[in-house]
Structure formats: C-alpha cells, structure tokens
C-alpha cells in the first residue's frame, strides 16, 4: 500500500473517495429506522445519481449506485418496494447502464459519446491501465486500425446506440 501511495497518490485518493461515497450512501440509508424514511432516502439518492448522469458525472453516479448496491442495502427489499414508480424505473434502467457485462459496454459507450466537460468513471480507466500489457503492440494495433477503418459505418451506428442509452434520463422528469 505504501508503494501505491508513493507511485500514484492521486489515484489512491480518488479510489478512497469513491469507496467513502459508496459507504456514505449505504450508511445514510441504514441510519433510518423507519421503512418510509429509508425508502425516501433511496429515492433521493436515485435522483442524485440521475442528476449526476445528466451533468455527465459518470464517476459520481457510479459511486452512488455502488452505495445502493451495497450488500447491506440490497437486501432491504421492503424499502425498495416502497419507493416511487419513477424511482423504480430509474433503478431498473441503471442496472444495464452500470452492468459489468461486456466490460461495462453501455457505460463506456455513453462516456465515449459524451462531449466535455465530463467526469468519466475512474474505475473503468484504472481497469484499462492494469491490463495495458495485454493490449496488442504498436504494429498489431496498426493492422487492427486498417481493419477498423473499413468498418466506420459500424462506429457511427455504435455512437447512435450509445446516445440512445442516455435517453432514459431527462431533467423534466425530476421537476
């Protein structure tokens, strides 16, 4: 751990912040003894996560979602059953968005399709960095680019699909 602190102190700080926010979300939900208050807290954090996505703060949205998926929260089925229909729909739409399927494909596509300013999901960037040695060499990448350039129409379709993935969140729905 000391080596990490010296080699990449900012990454360690950002990772600790991510974990701290997720645990804070979980503790806020758990600090309520009444079912109604727990449900309201879950609804509030669901709205905050949706607003983070609207502001293109993908990291913040993922922090909150991680807190709501904490094992101590996830088991509170009655609390989740008592949230509003709107919040239930948002949570259902968050599931594939933050899903680890295909290495967070939907989230990655949304980040790639977004225009700055934005805050990407740090965990995905760190995961890529840890696997950087697995990526092909420069020569192999050049050959792959030639193949990829031939499929530019596929890339346009992929970007359109990515834009569709973010369409489930609209600011008017929160007013």
């Amino acid at each position: 751990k000391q080596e990490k602190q010296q080699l990449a102190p900012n990454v360690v700080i950002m990772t600790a912040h991510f974990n701290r926010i997720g645990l804070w979300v979980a503790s806020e939900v758990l600090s309520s003894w009444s079912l109604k208050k727990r449900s309201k807290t879950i609804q509030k954090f669901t709205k905050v996560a949706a607003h983070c996505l609207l502001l293109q703060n993908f990291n913040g949205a993922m922090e909150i979602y991680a807190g709501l998926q904490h094992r101590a929260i996830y088991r509170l089925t009655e609390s989740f059953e008592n949230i509003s229909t709107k919040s239930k729909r948002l949570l259902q739409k968050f599931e594939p968005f933050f899903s680890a399927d295909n290495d967070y494909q939907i989230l990655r596509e949304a980040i790639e399709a977004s225009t700055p300013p934005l805050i990407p999901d740090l965990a995905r960037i760190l995961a890529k960095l840890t696997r950087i040695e697995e990526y092909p060499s420069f020569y192999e990448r050049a050959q792959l680019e030639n193949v990829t350039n031939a499929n530019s129409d596929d890339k346009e379709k992929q970007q359109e699909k990515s834009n569709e993935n973010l369409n489930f969140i609209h600011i008017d729905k929160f007013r």
Side-chain angles (χ1 to χ4, degrees):
K1 180 155 181 159
Q2 183 62 26
E3 184 180 306
K4 289 181 190 177
Q5 184 64 41
Q6 286 188 328
L7 293 175
N10 292 331
V11 172
V12 172
I13 290 169
M14 291 179 75
T15 303
H17 182 266
F18 184 98
N19 294 333
R20 194 169 31 255
I21 296 297
L23 290 174
W24 171 70
V25 169
S27 69
E28 285 297 310
V29 173
L30 291 173
S31 68
S32 306
W33 286 98
S34 83
L35 177 66
K36 186 176 181 180
K37 190 161 184 195
R38 270 197 311 267
S39 297
K40 289 259 185 218
T41 306
I42 291 169
Q43 278 181 206
K44 183 58 127 178
F45 280 119
T46 302
K47 284 184 179 182
V48 172
H51 280 284
C52 285
L53 286 176
L54 286 171
L55 295 170
Q56 299 187 104
N57 180 354
F58 297 100
N59 195 61
M62 185 66 137
E63 290 169 344
I64 293 167
Y65 185 74
L68 291 174
Q69 295 299 304
H70 189 280
R71 66 178 176 255
I73 304 301
Y74 195 74
R75 66 178 178 77
L76 300 173
T77 54
E78 282 187 54
S79 297
F80 281 97
E81 287 172 3
N82 287 321
I83 64 175
S84 70
T85 308
K86 195 187 301 187
S87 293
K88 283 180 187 175
R89 271 188 265 132
L90 267 177
L91 280 173
Q92 287 171 348
K93 291 183 179 187
F94 284 166
E95 283 181 33
F97 193 78
F98 292 117
S99 170
D101 293 345
N102 295 324
D103 194 27
Y104 296 88
Q105 181 180 358
I106 295 173
L107 179 61
R108 281 186 294 111
E109 289 173 356
I111 291 171
E112 289 169 9
S114 299
T115 56
L118 66 97
I119 302 173
D121 177 31
L122 177 68
R124 296 319 114 231
I125 293 170
L126 292 176
K128 275 188 173 180
L129 287 175
T130 58
R131 292 189 316 259
I132 203 156
E133 291 177 356
E134 296 173 12
Y135 291 122
S137 68
F138 176 76
Y139 176 74
E140 292 168 332
R141 279 195 307 265
Q143 289 179 329
L144 287 173
E145 285 176 17
N146 291 335
V147 172
T148 308
N149 289 338
N151 297 326
S152 62
D153 290 337
D154 291 340
K155 193 171 185 176
E156 289 175 16
K157 289 177 187 175
Q158 182 183 10
Q159 190 150 1
E160 287 174 19
K161 183 181 173 189
S162 175
N163 290 337
E164 290 173 12
N165 289 331
L166 276 178
N167 285 342
F168 69 87
I169 299 175
H170 298 287
I171 192 72
D172 299 336
K173 293 182 180 179
F174 299 109
R175 294 188 181 159

